[in-house]
Amino acid sequence: MSCKKGDSCCNMEVVSNCVACDWTLQGDENSSVGSPTENTVLSQIIYTVNGLCPIVSGKIKYCTANWPGEDATGRVAPLSVLVQFLRGQQVVETQQVYLGSCISFTAAKFDKIQVSRVSEDPGRFTLSGEFCITPNFTTH
């Protein structure tokens, strides 16, 4: 399909901007859900947009945990976090990111990105990382 002068699609311009930020999940001794044998989930929304996001590309890193490996109480730091792309409350896509690594992605039709800690151990923790995405919007 070719674009003819005067067509509305010919007047569209693609705008890209880079959004970058650090993320942190923190918990304390009361951050468990249910009994200590059930998985503990703590989540944080790290990106949100009004409406549905068009196509975006980017990366999400899981950089540090406050007790990597085993600490004095025998707790083990989460070796990974879950990254979920949401549309409202519905999960559209889930990726797992391991401590010290990152994922690259291209995604569309979501309105939030959430990072979650999943672990069997309650207790004090600080997990941190970075994210950078580039949404592409068309304008008239």
PDB file of all heavy atoms in Angstrom, residues 12-52:
ATOM      1  N   MET A  12       1.271  10.990   9.469  1.00  0.00           N
ATOM      2  CA  MET A  12       1.643  10.439  10.779  1.00  0.00           C
ATOM      3  C   MET A  12       3.152  10.442  10.946  1.00  0.00           C
ATOM      4  O   MET A  12       3.898  10.235   9.997  1.00  0.00           O
ATOM      5  CB  MET A  12       1.105   9.014  10.942  1.00  0.00           C
ATOM      6  CG  MET A  12      -0.392   8.992  10.984  1.00  0.00           C
ATOM      7  SD  MET A  12      -1.194   7.440  11.448  1.00  0.00           S
ATOM      8  CE  MET A  12      -0.105   6.169  11.035  1.00  0.00           C
ATOM      9  N   GLU A  13       3.562  10.719  12.151  1.00  0.00           N
ATOM     10  CA  GLU A  13       4.971  10.740  12.491  1.00  0.00           C
ATOM     11  C   GLU A  13       5.174   9.800  13.676  1.00  0.00           C
ATOM     12  O   GLU A  13       4.367   9.768  14.596  1.00  0.00           O
ATOM     13  CB  GLU A  13       5.354  12.163  12.891  1.00  0.00           C
ATOM     14  CG  GLU A  13       6.813  12.385  13.056  1.00  0.00           C
ATOM     15  CD  GLU A  13       7.097  13.853  13.369  1.00  0.00           C
ATOM     16  OE1 GLU A  13       6.440  14.738  12.808  1.00  0.00           O
ATOM     17  OE2 GLU A  13       7.986  14.082  14.205  1.00  0.00           O
ATOM     18  N   VAL A  14       6.226   9.003  13.640  1.00  0.00           N
ATOM     19  CA  VAL A  14       6.525   8.103  14.747  1.00  0.00           C
ATOM     20  C   VAL A  14       7.432   8.829  15.727  1.00  0.00           C
ATOM     21  O   VAL A  14       8.458   9.389  15.350  1.00  0.00           O
ATOM     22  CB  VAL A  14       7.204   6.802  14.265  1.00  0.00           C
ATOM     23  CG1 VAL A  14       7.606   5.940  15.444  1.00  0.00           C
ATOM     24  CG2 VAL A  14       6.280   6.046  13.329  1.00  0.00           C
ATOM     25  N   VAL A  15       7.017   8.838  17.000  1.00  0.00           N
ATOM     26  CA  VAL A  15       7.782   9.485  18.055  1.00  0.00           C
ATOM     27  C   VAL A  15       8.277   8.405  19.010  1.00  0.00           C
ATOM     28  O   VAL A  15       7.511   7.557  19.443  1.00  0.00           O
ATOM     29  CB  VAL A  15       6.900  10.498  18.829  1.00  0.00           C
ATOM     30  CG1 VAL A  15       7.676  11.118  19.967  1.00  0.00           C
ATOM     31  CG2 VAL A  15       6.374  11.563  17.887  1.00  0.00           C
ATOM     32  N   SER A  16       9.547   8.416  19.315  1.00  0.00           N
ATOM     33  CA  SER A  16      10.141   7.465  20.260  1.00  0.00           C
ATOM     34  C   SER A  16      10.793   8.242  21.391  1.00  0.00           C
ATOM     35  O   SER A  16      11.381   9.299  21.163  1.00  0.00           O
ATOM     36  CB  SER A  16      11.218   6.613  19.582  1.00  0.00           C
ATOM     37  OG  SER A  16      10.652   5.817  18.581  1.00  0.00           O
ATOM     38  N   ASN A  17      10.651   7.721  22.588  1.00  0.00           N
ATOM     39  CA  ASN A  17      11.376   8.315  23.717  1.00  0.00           C
ATOM     40  C   ASN A  17      11.824   7.196  24.638  1.00  0.00           C
ATOM     41  O   ASN A  17      11.143   6.190  24.780  1.00  0.00           O
ATOM     42  CB  ASN A  17      10.524   9.350  24.456  1.00  0.00           C
ATOM     43  CG  ASN A  17       9.243   8.771  25.025  1.00  0.00           C
ATOM     44  OD1 ASN A  17       8.805   7.708  24.624  1.00  0.00           O
ATOM     45  ND2 ASN A  17       8.639   9.473  25.941  1.00  0.00           N
ATOM     46  N   CYS A  18      12.970   7.354  25.213  1.00  0.00           N
ATOM     47  CA  CYS A  18      13.516   6.342  26.103  1.00  0.00           C
ATOM     48  C   CYS A  18      13.093   6.660  27.534  1.00  0.00           C
ATOM     49  O   CYS A  18      13.232   7.790  27.996  1.00  0.00           O
ATOM     50  CB  CYS A  18      15.037   6.316  26.007  1.00  0.00           C
ATOM     51  SG  CYS A  18      15.784   5.069  27.068  1.00  0.00           S
ATOM     52  N   VAL A  19      12.549   5.659  28.210  1.00  0.00           N
ATOM     53  CA  VAL A  19      12.161   5.790  29.612  1.00  0.00           C
ATOM     54  C   VAL A  19      13.073   4.849  30.395  1.00  0.00           C
ATOM     55  O   VAL A  19      13.093   3.647  30.140  1.00  0.00           O
ATOM     56  CB  VAL A  19      10.686   5.399  29.827  1.00  0.00           C
ATOM     57  CG1 VAL A  19      10.319   5.485  31.294  1.00  0.00           C
ATOM     58  CG2 VAL A  19       9.780   6.265  28.973  1.00  0.00           C
ATOM     59  N   ALA A  20      13.853   5.395  31.328  1.00  0.00           N
ATOM     60  CA  ALA A  20      14.783   4.582  32.106  1.00  0.00           C
ATOM     61  C   ALA A  20      14.621   4.903  33.582  1.00  0.00           C
ATOM     62  O   ALA A  20      14.376   6.055  33.952  1.00  0.00           O
ATOM     63  CB  ALA A  20      16.221   4.850  31.674  1.00  0.00           C
ATOM     64  N   CYS A  21      14.749   3.882  34.415  1.00  0.00           N
ATOM     65  CA  CYS A  21      14.593   4.076  35.850  1.00  0.00           C
ATOM     66  C   CYS A  21      15.165   2.864  36.591  1.00  0.00           C
ATOM     67  O   CYS A  21      15.314   1.791  36.014  1.00  0.00           O
ATOM     68  CB  CYS A  21      13.111   4.232  36.182  1.00  0.00           C
ATOM     69  SG  CYS A  21      12.802   4.869  37.832  1.00  0.00           S
ATOM     70  N   ASP A  22      15.483   3.066  37.853  1.00  0.00           N
ATOM     71  CA  ASP A  22      15.875   1.959  38.730  1.00  0.00           C
ATOM     72  C   ASP A  22      14.623   1.458  39.442  1.00  0.00           C
ATOM     73  O   ASP A  22      13.682   2.217  39.655  1.00  0.00           O
ATOM     74  CB  ASP A  22      16.884   2.430  39.781  1.00  0.00           C
ATOM     75  CG  ASP A  22      18.181   2.898  39.163  1.00  0.00           C
ATOM     76  OD1 ASP A  22      18.506   2.468  38.035  1.00  0.00           O
ATOM     77  OD2 ASP A  22      18.878   3.706  39.799  1.00  0.00           O
ATOM     78  N   TRP A  23      14.582   0.188  39.813  1.00  0.00           N
ATOM     79  CA  TRP A  23      13.482  -0.342  40.610  1.00  0.00           C
ATOM     80  C   TRP A  23      14.045  -1.031  41.845  1.00  0.00           C
ATOM     81  O   TRP A  23      15.183  -1.510  41.837  1.00  0.00           O
ATOM     82  CB  TRP A  23      12.593  -1.293  39.815  1.00  0.00           C
ATOM     83  CG  TRP A  23      13.283  -2.500  39.251  1.00  0.00           C
ATOM     84  CD1 TRP A  23      13.790  -2.631  37.997  1.00  0.00           C
ATOM     85  CD2 TRP A  23      13.553  -3.737  39.927  1.00  0.00           C
ATOM     86  NE1 TRP A  23      14.360  -3.871  37.845  1.00  0.00           N
ATOM     87  CE2 TRP A  23      14.219  -4.573  39.022  1.00  0.00           C
ATOM     88  CE3 TRP A  23      13.285  -4.216  41.203  1.00  0.00           C
ATOM     89  CZ2 TRP A  23      14.632  -5.866  39.350  1.00  0.00           C
ATOM     90  CZ3 TRP A  23      13.691  -5.495  41.531  1.00  0.00           C
ATOM     91  CH2 TRP A  23      14.350  -6.304  40.611  1.00  0.00           C
ATOM     92  N   THR A  24      13.266  -1.038  42.923  1.00  0.00           N
ATOM     93  CA  THR A  24      13.658  -1.675  44.177  1.00  0.00           C
ATOM     94  C   THR A  24      12.444  -2.338  44.804  1.00  0.00           C
ATOM     95  O   THR A  24      11.370  -1.749  44.843  1.00  0.00           O
ATOM     96  CB  THR A  24      14.220  -0.629  45.171  1.00  0.00           C
ATOM     97  OG1 THR A  24      15.348   0.006  44.577  1.00  0.00           O
ATOM     98  CG2 THR A  24      14.648  -1.281  46.477  1.00  0.00           C
ATOM     99  N   LEU A  25      12.612  -3.553  45.271  1.00  0.00           N
ATOM    100  CA  LEU A  25      11.597  -4.241  46.072  1.00  0.00           C
ATOM    101  C   LEU A  25      12.180  -4.407  47.460  1.00  0.00           C
ATOM    102  O   LEU A  25      13.311  -4.882  47.605  1.00  0.00           O
ATOM    103  CB  LEU A  25      11.273  -5.621  45.503  1.00  0.00           C
ATOM    104  CG  LEU A  25      10.593  -5.691  44.153  1.00  0.00           C
ATOM    105  CD1 LEU A  25      10.426  -7.148  43.729  1.00  0.00           C
ATOM    106  CD2 LEU A  25       9.250  -5.007  44.189  1.00  0.00           C
ATOM    107  N   GLN A  26      11.430  -4.012  48.483  1.00  0.00           N
ATOM    108  CA  GLN A  26      11.909  -4.155  49.850  1.00  0.00           C
ATOM    109  C   GLN A  26      10.868  -4.886  50.674  1.00  0.00           C
ATOM    110  O   GLN A  26       9.673  -4.716  50.473  1.00  0.00           O
ATOM    111  CB  GLN A  26      12.177  -2.792  50.481  1.00  0.00           C
ATOM    112  CG  GLN A  26      13.354  -2.092  49.851  1.00  0.00           C
ATOM    113  CD  GLN A  26      13.685  -0.810  50.565  1.00  0.00           C
ATOM    114  OE1 GLN A  26      12.809  -0.039  50.907  1.00  0.00           O
ATOM    115  NE2 GLN A  26      14.972  -0.588  50.783  1.00  0.00           N
ATOM    116  N   GLY A  27      11.330  -5.694  51.606  1.00  0.00           N
ATOM    117  CA  GLY A  27      10.442  -6.409  52.505  1.00  0.00           C
ATOM    118  C   GLY A  27      11.017  -6.458  53.896  1.00  0.00           C
ATOM    119  O   GLY A  27      12.202  -6.200  54.109  1.00  0.00           O
ATOM    120  N   ASP A  28      10.174  -6.779  54.854  1.00  0.00           N
ATOM    121  CA  ASP A  28      10.625  -6.920  56.225  1.00  0.00           C
ATOM    122  C   ASP A  28      10.109  -8.244  56.776  1.00  0.00           C
ATOM    123  O   ASP A  28       9.576  -9.062  56.036  1.00  0.00           O
ATOM    124  CB  ASP A  28      10.183  -5.738  57.087  1.00  0.00           C
ATOM    125  CG  ASP A  28       8.674  -5.567  57.122  1.00  0.00           C
ATOM    126  OD1 ASP A  28       7.936  -6.562  56.943  1.00  0.00           O
ATOM    127  OD2 ASP A  28       8.225  -4.445  57.323  1.00  0.00           O
ATOM    128  N   GLU A  29      10.254  -8.454  58.054  1.00  0.00           N
ATOM    129  CA  GLU A  29       9.857  -9.721  58.668  1.00  0.00           C
ATOM    130  C   GLU A  29       8.366 -10.003  58.516  1.00  0.00           C
ATOM    131  O   GLU A  29       7.929 -11.129  58.639  1.00  0.00           O
ATOM    132  CB  GLU A  29      10.238  -9.738  60.153  1.00  0.00           C
ATOM    133  CG  GLU A  29      11.739  -9.649  60.398  1.00  0.00           C
ATOM    134  CD  GLU A  29      12.534 -10.785  59.775  1.00  0.00           C
ATOM    135  OE1 GLU A  29      12.010 -11.910  59.655  1.00  0.00           O
ATOM    136  OE2 GLU A  29      13.693 -10.548  59.397  1.00  0.00           O
ATOM    137  N   ASN A  30       7.570  -8.977  58.240  1.00  0.00           N
ATOM    138  CA  ASN A  30       6.124  -9.146  58.093  1.00  0.00           C
ATOM    139  C   ASN A  30       5.687  -9.235  56.643  1.00  0.00           C
ATOM    140  O   ASN A  30       4.504  -9.125  56.352  1.00  0.00           O
ATOM    141  CB  ASN A  30       5.391  -7.980  58.774  1.00  0.00           C
ATOM    142  CG  ASN A  30       5.700  -7.924  60.241  1.00  0.00           C
ATOM    143  OD1 ASN A  30       5.691  -8.948  60.919  1.00  0.00           O
ATOM    144  ND2 ASN A  30       5.997  -6.733  60.741  1.00  0.00           N
ATOM    145  N   SER A  31       6.617  -9.433  55.723  1.00  0.00           N
ATOM    146  CA  SER A  31       6.273  -9.409  54.308  1.00  0.00           C
ATOM    147  C   SER A  31       5.864 -10.767  53.771  1.00  0.00           C
ATOM    148  O   SER A  31       5.742 -10.933  52.577  1.00  0.00           O
ATOM    149  CB  SER A  31       7.440  -8.860  53.489  1.00  0.00           C
ATOM    150  OG  SER A  31       8.555  -9.704  53.612  1.00  0.00           O
ATOM    151  N   SER A  32       5.639 -11.739  54.646  1.00  0.00           N
ATOM    152  CA  SER A  32       5.242 -13.056  54.151  1.00  0.00           C
ATOM    153  C   SER A  32       3.738 -13.112  53.937  1.00  0.00           C
ATOM    154  O   SER A  32       2.974 -12.363  54.512  1.00  0.00           O
ATOM    155  CB  SER A  32       5.665 -14.151  55.120  1.00  0.00           C
ATOM    156  OG  SER A  32       4.980 -14.002  56.336  1.00  0.00           O
ATOM    157  N   VAL A  33       3.323 -14.002  53.076  1.00  0.00           N
ATOM    158  CA  VAL A  33       1.915 -14.245  52.807  1.00  0.00           C
ATOM    159  C   VAL A  33       1.649 -15.690  53.173  1.00  0.00           C
ATOM    160  O   VAL A  33       2.277 -16.589  52.645  1.00  0.00           O
ATOM    161  CB  VAL A  33       1.592 -14.016  51.309  1.00  0.00           C
ATOM    162  CG1 VAL A  33       0.158 -14.370  51.026  1.00  0.00           C
ATOM    163  CG2 VAL A  33       1.912 -12.593  50.915  1.00  0.00           C
ATOM    164  N   GLY A  34       0.715 -15.933  54.080  1.00  0.00           N
ATOM    165  CA  GLY A  34       0.424 -17.301  54.474  1.00  0.00           C
ATOM    166  C   GLY A  34       1.522 -17.874  55.354  1.00  0.00           C
ATOM    167  O   GLY A  34       2.269 -17.157  56.002  1.00  0.00           O
ATOM    168  N   SER A  35       1.632 -19.175  55.355  1.00  0.00           N
ATOM    169  CA  SER A  35       2.635 -19.835  56.192  1.00  0.00           C
ATOM    170  C   SER A  35       4.012 -19.744  55.546  1.00  0.00           C
ATOM    171  O   SER A  35       4.119 -19.493  54.353  1.00  0.00           O
ATOM    172  CB  SER A  35       2.259 -21.302  56.395  1.00  0.00           C
ATOM    173  OG  SER A  35       2.433 -22.007  55.182  1.00  0.00           O
ATOM    174  N   PRO A  36       5.073 -19.944  56.314  1.00  0.00           N
ATOM    175  CA  PRO A  36       6.432 -19.854  55.760  1.00  0.00           C
ATOM    176  C   PRO A  36       6.705 -20.857  54.640  1.00  0.00           C
ATOM    177  O   PRO A  36       7.638 -20.692  53.892  1.00  0.00           O
ATOM    178  CB  PRO A  36       7.327 -20.145  56.967  1.00  0.00           C
ATOM    179  CG  PRO A  36       6.472 -19.867  58.150  1.00  0.00           C
ATOM    180  CD  PRO A  36       5.065 -20.158  57.736  1.00  0.00           C
ATOM    181  N   THR A  37       5.876 -21.889  54.500  1.00  0.00           N
ATOM    182  CA  THR A  37       6.117 -22.857  53.436  1.00  0.00           C
ATOM    183  C   THR A  37       5.470 -22.452  52.118  1.00  0.00           C
ATOM    184  O   THR A  37       5.739 -23.032  51.091  1.00  0.00           O
ATOM    185  CB  THR A  37       5.592 -24.249  53.832  1.00  0.00           C
ATOM    186  OG1 THR A  37       4.188 -24.144  54.098  1.00  0.00           O
ATOM    187  CG2 THR A  37       6.322 -24.781  55.047  1.00  0.00           C
ATOM    188  N   GLU A  38       4.587 -21.445  52.154  1.00  0.00           N
ATOM    189  CA  GLU A  38       3.994 -20.952  50.916  1.00  0.00           C
ATOM    190  C   GLU A  38       4.899 -19.890  50.301  1.00  0.00           C
ATOM    191  O   GLU A  38       5.660 -19.236  50.993  1.00  0.00           O
ATOM    192  CB  GLU A  38       2.618 -20.325  51.188  1.00  0.00           C
ATOM    193  CG  GLU A  38       1.581 -21.322  51.634  1.00  0.00           C
ATOM    194  CD  GLU A  38       0.251 -20.656  51.936  1.00  0.00           C
ATOM    195  OE1 GLU A  38       0.114 -19.442  51.664  1.00  0.00           O
ATOM    196  OE2 GLU A  38      -0.632 -21.351  52.438  1.00  0.00           O
ATOM    197  N   ASN A  39       4.792 -19.740  48.981  1.00  0.00           N
ATOM    198  CA  ASN A  39       5.595 -18.711  48.325  1.00  0.00           C
ATOM    199  C   ASN A  39       5.148 -17.321  48.759  1.00  0.00           C
ATOM    200  O   ASN A  39       3.972 -17.047  48.888  1.00  0.00           O
ATOM    201  CB  ASN A  39       5.483 -18.810  46.806  1.00  0.00           C
ATOM    202  CG  ASN A  39       6.359 -19.887  46.244  1.00  0.00           C
ATOM    203  OD1 ASN A  39       7.192 -20.441  46.949  1.00  0.00           O
ATOM    204  ND2 ASN A  39       6.169 -20.207  44.993  1.00  0.00           N
ATOM    205  N   THR A  40       6.114 -16.455  48.987  1.00  0.00           N
ATOM    206  CA  THR A  40       5.871 -15.061  49.330  1.00  0.00           C
ATOM    207  C   THR A  40       6.031 -14.237  48.062  1.00  0.00           C
ATOM    208  O   THR A  40       7.042 -14.353  47.389  1.00  0.00           O
ATOM    209  CB  THR A  40       6.887 -14.590  50.387  1.00  0.00           C
ATOM    210  OG1 THR A  40       6.744 -15.410  51.521  1.00  0.00           O
ATOM    211  CG2 THR A  40       6.674 -13.146  50.747  1.00  0.00           C
ATOM    212  N   VAL A  41       5.044 -13.441  47.737  1.00  0.00           N
ATOM    213  CA  VAL A  41       5.112 -12.619  46.535  1.00  0.00           C
ATOM    214  C   VAL A  41       5.006 -11.155  46.923  1.00  0.00           C
ATOM    215  O   VAL A  41       4.078 -10.760  47.616  1.00  0.00           O
ATOM    216  CB  VAL A  41       3.978 -12.970  45.549  1.00  0.00           C
ATOM    217  CG1 VAL A  41       4.050 -12.085  44.323  1.00  0.00           C
ATOM    218  CG2 VAL A  41       4.022 -14.428  45.168  1.00  0.00           C
ATOM    219  N   LEU A  42       5.951 -10.364  46.540  1.00  0.00           N
ATOM    220  CA  LEU A  42       5.898  -8.921  46.697  1.00  0.00           C
ATOM    221  C   LEU A  42       6.084  -8.321  45.318  1.00  0.00           C
ATOM    222  O   LEU A  42       6.977  -8.742  44.591  1.00  0.00           O
ATOM    223  CB  LEU A  42       7.004  -8.432  47.632  1.00  0.00           C
ATOM    224  CG  LEU A  42       6.488  -7.812  48.918  1.00  0.00           C
ATOM    225  CD1 LEU A  42       5.989  -8.886  49.841  1.00  0.00           C
ATOM    226  CD2 LEU A  42       7.532  -6.980  49.550  1.00  0.00           C
ATOM    227  N   SER A  43       5.255  -7.361  44.959  1.00  0.00           N
ATOM    228  CA  SER A  43       5.273  -6.808  43.606  1.00  0.00           C
ATOM    229  C   SER A  43       5.337  -5.298  43.630  1.00  0.00           C
ATOM    230  O   SER A  43       4.910  -4.666  44.587  1.00  0.00           O
ATOM    231  CB  SER A  43       4.008  -7.222  42.858  1.00  0.00           C
ATOM    232  OG  SER A  43       3.906  -8.613  42.790  1.00  0.00           O
ATOM    233  N   GLN A  44       5.840  -4.759  42.536  1.00  0.00           N
ATOM    234  CA  GLN A  44       5.863  -3.319  42.351  1.00  0.00           C
ATOM    235  C   GLN A  44       5.625  -3.014  40.883  1.00  0.00           C
ATOM    236  O   GLN A  44       6.239  -3.631  40.006  1.00  0.00           O
ATOM    237  CB  GLN A  44       7.202  -2.738  42.782  1.00  0.00           C
ATOM    238  CG  GLN A  44       7.305  -1.245  42.570  1.00  0.00           C
ATOM    239  CD  GLN A  44       8.650  -0.696  42.990  1.00  0.00           C
ATOM    240  OE1 GLN A  44       9.346  -1.271  43.807  1.00  0.00           O
ATOM    241  NE2 GLN A  44       9.021   0.422  42.415  1.00  0.00           N
ATOM    242  N   ILE A  45       4.727  -2.073  40.612  1.00  0.00           N
ATOM    243  CA  ILE A  45       4.539  -1.590  39.241  1.00  0.00           C
ATOM    244  C   ILE A  45       5.713  -0.655  38.941  1.00  0.00           C
ATOM    245  O   ILE A  45       5.967   0.287  39.678  1.00  0.00           O
ATOM    246  CB  ILE A  45       3.207  -0.817  39.097  1.00  0.00           C
ATOM    247  CG1 ILE A  45       2.012  -1.703  39.459  1.00  0.00           C
ATOM    248  CG2 ILE A  45       3.075  -0.220  37.701  1.00  0.00           C
ATOM    249  CD1 ILE A  45       1.766  -2.854  38.515  1.00  0.00           C
ATOM    250  N   ILE A  46       6.448  -0.942  37.856  1.00  0.00           N
ATOM    251  CA  ILE A  46       7.609  -0.116  37.514  1.00  0.00           C
ATOM    252  C   ILE A  46       7.362   0.764  36.298  1.00  0.00           C
ATOM    253  O   ILE A  46       8.164   1.638  35.995  1.00  0.00           O
ATOM    254  CB  ILE A  46       8.887  -0.958  37.314  1.00  0.00           C
ATOM    255  CG1 ILE A  46       8.724  -1.959  36.181  1.00  0.00           C
ATOM    256  CG2 ILE A  46       9.275  -1.645  38.619  1.00  0.00           C
ATOM    257  CD1 ILE A  46      10.018  -2.660  35.788  1.00  0.00           C
ATOM    258  N   TYR A  47       6.253   0.527  35.589  1.00  0.00           N
ATOM    259  CA  TYR A  47       5.919   1.357  34.430  1.00  0.00           C
ATOM    260  C   TYR A  47       4.413   1.312  34.228  1.00  0.00           C
ATOM    261  O   TYR A  47       3.801   0.255  34.351  1.00  0.00           O
ATOM    262  CB  TYR A  47       6.620   0.831  33.175  1.00  0.00           C
ATOM    263  CG  TYR A  47       6.316   1.619  31.924  1.00  0.00           C
ATOM    264  CD1 TYR A  47       6.911   2.853  31.693  1.00  0.00           C
ATOM    265  CD2 TYR A  47       5.427   1.133  30.966  1.00  0.00           C
ATOM    266  CE1 TYR A  47       6.639   3.578  30.542  1.00  0.00           C
ATOM    267  CE2 TYR A  47       5.147   1.854  29.819  1.00  0.00           C
ATOM    268  CZ  TYR A  47       5.751   3.074  29.620  1.00  0.00           C
ATOM    269  OH  TYR A  47       5.479   3.801  28.485  1.00  0.00           O
ATOM    270  N   THR A  48       3.828   2.451  33.939  1.00  0.00           N
ATOM    271  CA  THR A  48       2.392   2.507  33.646  1.00  0.00           C
ATOM    272  C   THR A  48       2.146   3.560  32.584  1.00  0.00           C
ATOM    273  O   THR A  48       2.898   4.534  32.466  1.00  0.00           O
ATOM    274  CB  THR A  48       1.562   2.794  34.926  1.00  0.00           C
ATOM    275  OG1 THR A  48       0.188   2.695  34.619  1.00  0.00           O
ATOM    276  CG2 THR A  48       1.867   4.154  35.494  1.00  0.00           C
ATOM    277  N   VAL A  49       1.107   3.342  31.787  1.00  0.00           N
ATOM    278  CA  VAL A  49       0.751   4.276  30.718  1.00  0.00           C
ATOM    279  C   VAL A  49      -0.769   4.311  30.638  1.00  0.00           C
ATOM    280  O   VAL A  49      -1.438   3.327  30.941  1.00  0.00           O
ATOM    281  CB  VAL A  49       1.388   3.841  29.371  1.00  0.00           C
ATOM    282  CG1 VAL A  49       0.837   2.529  28.887  1.00  0.00           C
ATOM    283  CG2 VAL A  49       1.227   4.904  28.308  1.00  0.00           C
ATOM    284  N   ASN A  50      -1.325   5.480  30.283  1.00  0.00           N
ATOM    285  CA  ASN A  50      -2.770   5.579  30.070  1.00  0.00           C
ATOM    286  C   ASN A  50      -3.122   4.919  28.749  1.00  0.00           C
ATOM    287  O   ASN A  50      -2.458   5.153  27.751  1.00  0.00           O
ATOM    288  CB  ASN A  50      -3.213   7.046  30.046  1.00  0.00           C
ATOM    289  CG  ASN A  50      -3.119   7.676  31.411  1.00  0.00           C
ATOM    290  OD1 ASN A  50      -3.196   6.988  32.424  1.00  0.00           O
ATOM    291  ND2 ASN A  50      -2.935   8.976  31.446  1.00  0.00           N
ATOM    292  N   GLY A  51      -4.152   4.115  28.736  1.00  0.00           N
ATOM    293  CA  GLY A  51      -4.526   3.401  27.522  1.00  0.00           C
ATOM    294  C   GLY A  51      -3.614   2.205  27.331  1.00  0.00           C
ATOM    295  O   GLY A  51      -2.895   1.796  28.242  1.00  0.00           O
ATOM    296  N   LEU A  52      -3.630   1.627  26.147  1.00  0.00           N
ATOM    297  CA  LEU A  52      -2.757   0.492  25.851  1.00  0.00           C
ATOM    298  C   LEU A  52      -1.503   0.981  25.170  1.00  0.00           C
ATOM    299  O   LEU A  52      -1.550   1.833  24.283  1.00  0.00           O
ATOM    300  CB  LEU A  52      -3.463  -0.531  24.960  1.00  0.00           C
ATOM    301  CG  LEU A  52      -4.607  -1.295  25.594  1.00  0.00           C
ATOM    302  CD1 LEU A  52      -5.181  -2.296  24.598  1.00  0.00           C
ATOM    303  CD2 LEU A  52      -4.184  -1.994  26.862  1.00  0.00           C
TER     304      LEU A  52
END
